[in-house]
Amino acid sequence: MKSPVKITEQSMRKALNQIDEFYKARMQEGYKLQEVNSFTLDELEQLASIYEEKEQYIDEVFPWLF
């Protein structure tokens, strides 16, 4: 049985800041507030995969060099 997750004030503030940054970034990209509010889970996951940092090695980017 998993133990319950303890929500602290610090973790709540961090989550709210992340949400705020997400909204600001999408609005700067040209989305309207209503569009951001209506994103589906699939759309959010797709956005997350686009913006997640990916580690890529030079031999993957330029295979002809090696």
Side-chain angles (χ1 to χ4, degrees), residues 5 13 21 23 32 37 42 47 50-51 54 61-62:
V5 176
R13 286 183 194 272
E21 289 175 20
Y23 269 81
K32 294 185 169 95
N37 284 337
D42 287 339
L47 281 170
I50 291 170
Y51 292 107
K54 296 182 179 156
V61 178
F62 305 105

Side-chain angles (χ1 to χ4, degrees), residues 18-39 44 47 51:
Q18 289 173 334
I19 292 169
D20 186 52
E21 289 175 20
F22 174 82
Y23 269 81
K24 285 178 183 176
R26 300 302 79 79
M27 306 269 299
Q28 288 176 350
E29 292 169 356
Y31 288 101
K32 294 185 169 95
L33 181 60
Q34 184 178 3
E35 293 172 319
V36 178
N37 284 337
S38 65
F39 282 157
L44 291 172
L47 281 170
Y51 292 107

Side-chain angles (χ1 to χ4, degrees), residues 42-57:
D42 287 339
E43 291 168 328
L44 291 172
E45 288 173 343
Q46 186 177 17
L47 281 170
S49 71
I50 291 170
Y51 292 107
E52 78 182 31
E53 289 186 28
K54 296 182 179 156
E55 189 173 293
Q56 201 165 23
Y57 298 100

Side-chain angles (χ1 to χ4, degrees), residues 1-12:
M1 179 181 214
K2 290 184 178 181
S3 60
V5 176
K6 183 176 180 182
I7 298 175
T8 63
E9 182 179 347
Q10 181 181 6
S11 65
M12 183 61 76

